[in-house]
mmCIF file of all heavy atoms in Angstrom:
data_model
loop_
_atom_site.group_PDB
_atom_site.id
_atom_site.type_symbol
_atom_site.label_atom_id
_atom_site.label_comp_id
_atom_site.label_asym_id
_atom_site.label_seq_id
_atom_site.Cartn_x
_atom_site.Cartn_y
_atom_site.Cartn_z
ATOM 1 N N MET A 53 110.216 109.721 123.331
ATOM 2 C CA MET A 53 109.118 108.886 123.844
ATOM 3 C C MET A 53 109.267 108.739 125.359
ATOM 4 O O MET A 53 109.698 107.699 125.856
ATOM 5 C CB MET A 53 109.151 107.498 123.175
ATOM 6 C CG MET A 53 109.010 107.580 121.671
ATOM 7 S SD MET A 53 109.201 105.967 120.862
ATOM 8 C CE MET A 53 107.707 105.157 121.380
ATOM 9 N N PHE A 82 110.433 94.706 118.871
ATOM 10 C CA PHE A 82 111.250 95.348 117.841
ATOM 11 C C PHE A 82 112.713 95.193 118.251
ATOM 12 O O PHE A 82 113.055 95.415 119.415
ATOM 13 C CB PHE A 82 110.925 96.836 117.736
ATOM 14 C CG PHE A 82 109.528 97.111 117.251
ATOM 15 C CD1 PHE A 82 108.500 97.350 118.148
ATOM 16 C CD2 PHE A 82 109.241 97.119 115.892
ATOM 17 C CE1 PHE A 82 107.202 97.585 117.704
ATOM 18 C CE2 PHE A 82 107.956 97.354 115.442
ATOM 19 C CZ PHE A 82 106.931 97.589 116.348
ATOM 20 N N ASP A 121 107.814 91.870 115.272
ATOM 21 C CA ASP A 121 107.750 92.715 114.086
ATOM 22 C C ASP A 121 108.649 92.106 113.006
ATOM 23 O O ASP A 121 109.817 91.803 113.281
ATOM 24 C CB ASP A 121 108.247 94.122 114.432
ATOM 25 C CG ASP A 121 108.158 95.084 113.256
ATOM 26 O OD1 ASP A 121 107.041 95.468 112.891
ATOM 27 O OD2 ASP A 121 109.221 95.442 112.697
ATOM 28 N N CYS A 123 110.245 93.060 109.599
ATOM 29 C CA CYS A 123 110.523 94.176 108.692
ATOM 30 C C CYS A 123 112.033 94.354 108.661
ATOM 31 O O CYS A 123 112.718 94.039 109.632
ATOM 32 C CB CYS A 123 109.861 95.450 109.206
ATOM 33 S SG CYS A 123 110.004 96.844 108.065
ATOM 34 N N CYS A 125 113.648 97.359 108.194
ATOM 35 C CA CYS A 125 114.163 98.719 108.431
ATOM 36 C C CYS A 125 115.022 98.844 109.684
ATOM 37 O O CYS A 125 115.916 99.670 109.750
ATOM 38 C CB CYS A 125 113.035 99.750 108.438
ATOM 39 S SG CYS A 125 111.991 99.669 109.887
ATOM 40 N N GLU A 126 114.756 98.005 110.677
ATOM 41 C CA GLU A 126 115.593 98.072 111.878
ATOM 42 C C GLU A 126 116.985 97.477 111.619
ATOM 43 O O GLU A 126 117.903 97.693 112.401
ATOM 44 C CB GLU A 126 114.951 97.309 113.041
ATOM 45 C CG GLU A 126 113.620 97.856 113.529
ATOM 46 C CD GLU A 126 112.464 96.914 113.227
ATOM 47 O OE1 GLU A 126 111.915 97.006 112.094
ATOM 48 O OE2 GLU A 126 112.096 96.094 114.079
ATOM 49 N N CYS A 133 112.554 99.450 104.399
ATOM 50 C CA CYS A 133 111.904 98.232 104.898
ATOM 51 C C CYS A 133 112.136 97.021 103.990
ATOM 52 O O CYS A 133 111.653 95.930 104.277
ATOM 53 C CB CYS A 133 110.414 98.480 105.068
ATOM 54 S SG CYS A 133 110.087 99.844 106.201
ATOM 55 N N SER A 168 105.411 94.303 108.853
ATOM 56 C CA SER A 168 105.031 95.723 108.816
ATOM 57 C C SER A 168 105.688 96.457 107.655
ATOM 58 O O SER A 168 105.693 97.683 107.616
ATOM 59 C CB SER A 168 105.431 96.402 110.132
ATOM 60 O OG SER A 168 106.835 96.476 110.266
ATOM 61 N N TYR A 195 100.271 94.044 109.097
ATOM 62 C CA TYR A 195 100.013 95.478 109.038
ATOM 63 C C TYR A 195 99.470 95.711 107.636
ATOM 64 O O TYR A 195 100.213 95.991 106.704
ATOM 65 C CB TYR A 195 101.286 96.274 109.188
ATOM 66 C CG TYR A 195 101.930 96.294 110.550
ATOM 67 C CD1 TYR A 195 102.536 95.161 111.074
ATOM 68 C CD2 TYR A 195 101.975 97.475 111.291
ATOM 69 C CE1 TYR A 195 103.157 95.206 112.310
ATOM 70 C CE2 TYR A 195 102.601 97.519 112.530
ATOM 71 C CZ TYR A 195 103.193 96.384 113.030
ATOM 72 O OH TYR A 195 103.824 96.428 114.243
ATOM 73 N N LYS A 198 98.782 100.333 106.322
ATOM 74 C CA LYS A 198 99.798 101.135 106.997
ATOM 75 C C LYS A 198 100.092 102.359 106.134
ATOM 76 O O LYS A 198 100.557 102.235 104.998
ATOM 77 C CB LYS A 198 101.053 100.306 107.205
ATOM 78 C CG LYS A 198 102.195 101.097 107.825
ATOM 79 C CD LYS A 198 103.358 100.201 108.200
ATOM 80 C CE LYS A 198 104.520 101.018 108.705
ATOM 81 N NZ LYS A 198 105.650 100.175 109.117
ATOM 82 N N PHE A 203 103.601 110.530 111.824
ATOM 83 C CA PHE A 203 103.559 110.189 113.248
ATOM 84 C C PHE A 203 104.501 109.045 113.645
ATOM 85 O O PHE A 203 104.464 108.601 114.774
ATOM 86 C CB PHE A 203 102.119 109.868 113.668
ATOM 87 C CG PHE A 203 101.227 111.084 113.656
ATOM 88 C CD1 PHE A 203 100.388 111.339 112.582
ATOM 89 C CD2 PHE A 203 101.255 111.994 114.700
ATOM 90 C CE1 PHE A 203 99.584 112.462 112.559
ATOM 91 C CE2 PHE A 203 100.455 113.124 114.685
ATOM 92 C CZ PHE A 203 99.616 113.362 113.613
ATOM 93 N N TYR A 204 105.317 108.557 112.707
ATOM 94 C CA TYR A 204 106.290 107.513 113.062
ATOM 95 C C TYR A 204 107.647 108.097 113.468
ATOM 96 O O TYR A 204 108.581 107.331 113.737
ATOM 97 C CB TYR A 204 106.541 106.540 111.895
ATOM 98 C CG TYR A 204 105.318 105.897 111.285
ATOM 99 C CD1 TYR A 204 105.321 105.494 109.949
ATOM 100 C CD2 TYR A 204 104.165 105.681 112.027
ATOM 101 C CE1 TYR A 204 104.210 104.897 109.369
ATOM 102 C CE2 TYR A 204 103.050 105.093 111.453
ATOM 103 C CZ TYR A 204 103.070 104.703 110.126
ATOM 104 O OH TYR A 204 101.973 104.124 109.550
ATOM 105 N N GLY A 205 107.758 109.409 113.499
ATOM 106 C CA GLY A 205 109.059 110.042 113.757
ATOM 107 C C GLY A 205 109.795 109.523 114.984
ATOM 108 O O GLY A 205 110.943 109.083 114.892
ATOM 109 N N PHE A 207 109.550 106.782 116.641
ATOM 110 C CA PHE A 207 109.943 105.368 116.483
ATOM 111 C C PHE A 207 111.265 105.267 115.736
ATOM 112 O O PHE A 207 112.127 104.457 116.069
ATOM 113 C CB PHE A 207 108.844 104.623 115.710
ATOM 114 C CG PHE A 207 109.179 103.190 115.355
ATOM 115 C CD1 PHE A 207 108.766 102.148 116.168
ATOM 116 C CD2 PHE A 207 109.882 102.881 114.190
ATOM 117 C CE1 PHE A 207 109.050 100.828 115.835
ATOM 118 C CE2 PHE A 207 110.174 101.569 113.852
ATOM 119 C CZ PHE A 207 109.762 100.540 114.681
ATOM 120 N N ARG A 208 111.414 106.100 114.727
ATOM 121 C CA ARG A 208 112.646 106.014 113.927
ATOM 122 C C ARG A 208 113.847 106.461 114.740
ATOM 123 O O ARG A 208 114.957 105.993 114.506
ATOM 124 C CB ARG A 208 112.474 106.804 112.634
ATOM 125 C CG ARG A 208 111.415 106.129 111.760
ATOM 126 C CD ARG A 208 111.157 106.847 110.471
ATOM 127 N NE ARG A 208 109.979 106.269 109.814
ATOM 128 C CZ ARG A 208 109.354 106.802 108.779
ATOM 129 N NH1 ARG A 208 109.797 107.931 108.256
ATOM 130 N NH2 ARG A 208 108.297 106.210 108.270
ATOM 131 N N SER A 213 116.077 104.147 112.381
ATOM 132 C CA SER A 213 115.710 103.611 111.064
ATOM 133 C C SER A 213 115.221 104.684 110.098
ATOM 134 O O SER A 213 114.512 104.375 109.144
ATOM 135 C CB SER A 213 114.612 102.555 111.222
ATOM 136 O OG SER A 213 113.383 103.170 111.585
ATOM 137 N N ARG A 220 109.223 106.658 102.569
ATOM 138 C CA ARG A 220 108.572 105.350 102.455
ATOM 139 C C ARG A 220 107.311 105.396 101.603
ATOM 140 O O ARG A 220 106.497 104.481 101.626
ATOM 141 C CB ARG A 220 108.216 104.836 103.848
ATOM 142 C CG ARG A 220 109.385 104.682 104.810
ATOM 143 C CD ARG A 220 109.105 103.592 105.830
ATOM 144 N NE ARG A 220 109.858 103.683 107.059
ATOM 145 C CZ ARG A 220 111.173 103.500 107.175
ATOM 146 N NH1 ARG A 220 111.901 103.252 106.107
ATOM 147 N NH2 ARG A 220 111.763 103.596 108.349
ATOM 148 N N GLN A 224 104.466 102.499 101.587
ATOM 149 C CA GLN A 224 103.372 102.723 102.532
ATOM 150 C C GLN A 224 102.267 103.535 101.853
ATOM 151 O O GLN A 224 102.503 104.218 100.856
ATOM 152 C CB GLN A 224 103.899 103.457 103.774
ATOM 153 C CG GLN A 224 104.956 102.621 104.516
ATOM 154 C CD GLN A 224 105.536 103.309 105.733
ATOM 155 O OE1 GLN A 224 105.312 104.500 105.968
ATOM 156 N NE2 GLN A 224 106.303 102.560 106.511
ATOM 157 N N LYS A 251 97.100 101.406 110.869
ATOM 158 C CA LYS A 251 98.147 102.210 111.506
ATOM 159 C C LYS A 251 98.429 103.459 110.694
ATOM 160 O O LYS A 251 98.553 103.329 109.479
ATOM 161 C CB LYS A 251 99.373 101.313 111.567
ATOM 162 C CG LYS A 251 100.616 101.928 112.062
ATOM 163 C CD LYS A 251 101.725 100.924 111.952
ATOM 164 C CE LYS A 251 103.005 101.593 112.356
ATOM 165 N NZ LYS A 251 104.138 100.770 112.160
ATOM 166 N N TYR A 274 97.192 100.583 115.785
ATOM 167 C CA TYR A 274 98.470 100.941 116.399
ATOM 168 C C TYR A 274 98.474 102.429 116.730
ATOM 169 O O TYR A 274 98.512 103.265 115.832
ATOM 170 C CB TYR A 274 99.605 100.608 115.430
ATOM 171 C CG TYR A 274 100.998 100.465 116.039
ATOM 172 C CD1 TYR A 274 101.895 99.539 115.517
ATOM 173 C CD2 TYR A 274 101.423 101.241 117.103
ATOM 174 C CE1 TYR A 274 103.179 99.385 116.037
ATOM 175 C CE2 TYR A 274 102.700 101.091 117.638
ATOM 176 C CZ TYR A 274 103.570 100.168 117.100
ATOM 177 O OH TYR A 274 104.834 100.023 117.620
ATOM 178 N N GLN A 275 98.411 102.739 118.039
ATOM 179 C CA GLN A 275 98.613 104.122 118.484
ATOM 180 C C GLN A 275 100.128 104.334 118.410
ATOM 181 O O GLN A 275 100.870 103.882 119.283
ATOM 182 C CB GLN A 275 98.103 104.314 119.915
ATOM 183 C CG GLN A 275 98.208 105.763 120.387
ATOM 184 C CD GLN A 275 98.133 105.904 121.896
ATOM 185 O OE1 GLN A 275 98.697 105.098 122.645
ATOM 186 N NE2 GLN A 275 97.463 106.937 122.359
ATOM 187 N N VAL A 276 100.588 104.983 117.356
ATOM 188 C CA VAL A 276 102.022 104.980 117.049
ATOM 189 C C VAL A 276 102.790 105.994 117.897
ATOM 190 O O VAL A 276 102.210 106.783 118.648
ATOM 191 C CB VAL A 276 102.279 105.218 115.541
ATOM 192 C CG1 VAL A 276 101.648 104.113 114.716
ATOM 193 C CG2 VAL A 276 101.814 106.600 115.114
ATOM 194 N N SER A 277 104.110 105.961 117.702
ATOM 195 C CA SER A 277 105.008 106.753 118.539
ATOM 196 C C SER A 277 104.640 108.232 118.571
ATOM 197 O O SER A 277 104.674 108.860 119.630
ATOM 198 C CB SER A 277 106.442 106.565 118.056
ATOM 199 O OG SER A 277 106.559 106.890 116.686
ATOM 200 N N GLY A 278 104.287 108.806 117.437
ATOM 201 C CA GLY A 278 103.967 110.236 117.399
ATOM 202 C C GLY A 278 102.665 110.564 118.111
ATOM 203 O O GLY A 278 102.536 111.626 118.723
ATOM 204 N N TYR A 316 102.202 102.209 123.468
ATOM 205 C CA TYR A 316 103.324 102.347 124.406
ATOM 206 C C TYR A 316 102.831 102.662 125.811
ATOM 207 O O TYR A 316 103.577 102.517 126.775
ATOM 208 C CB TYR A 316 104.280 103.440 123.908
ATOM 209 C CG TYR A 316 104.788 103.142 122.515
ATOM 210 C CD1 TYR A 316 104.235 103.754 121.396
ATOM 211 C CD2 TYR A 316 105.782 102.179 122.321
ATOM 212 C CE1 TYR A 316 104.660 103.442 120.118
ATOM 213 C CE2 TYR A 316 106.218 101.859 121.050
ATOM 214 C CZ TYR A 316 105.656 102.490 119.946
ATOM 215 O OH TYR A 316 106.072 102.160 118.686
HETATM 216 C C1 PBG B 1 108.506 99.381 110.454
HETATM 217 C C2 PBG B 1 107.668 99.969 111.510
HETATM 218 C C3 PBG B 1 107.524 101.316 111.810
HETATM 219 C C4 PBG B 1 106.669 101.394 112.893
HETATM 220 C C5 PBG B 1 106.329 100.095 113.245
HETATM 221 N N1 PBG B 1 106.938 99.217 112.357
HETATM 222 C C6 PBG B 1 108.188 102.510 111.260
HETATM 223 C C7 PBG B 1 108.046 102.955 109.910
HETATM 224 O O1 PBG B 1 107.293 102.433 109.096
HETATM 225 O O2 PBG B 1 108.773 103.890 109.613
HETATM 226 C C8 PBG B 1 106.242 102.660 113.534
HETATM 227 C C9 PBG B 1 105.656 102.513 114.874
HETATM 228 C C10 PBG B 1 105.541 103.772 115.622
HETATM 229 O O3 PBG B 1 105.721 104.890 115.110
HETATM 230 O O4 PBG B 1 105.258 103.672 116.819
HETATM 231 N N2 PBG B 1 109.235 98.298 110.922
#
Side-chain angles (χ1 to χ4, degrees):
M53 300 175 70
F82 294 96
D121 182 71
C123 186
C125 72
E126 297 112 274
C133 302
S168 68
Y195 289 70
K198 176 172 175 178
F203 291 99
Y204 307 152
F207 174 95
R208 294 179 190 168
S213 71
R220 301 208 203 292
Q224 298 179 350
K251 175 184 176 186
Y274 200 145
Q275 184 198 40
V276 299
S277 56
Y316 303 100

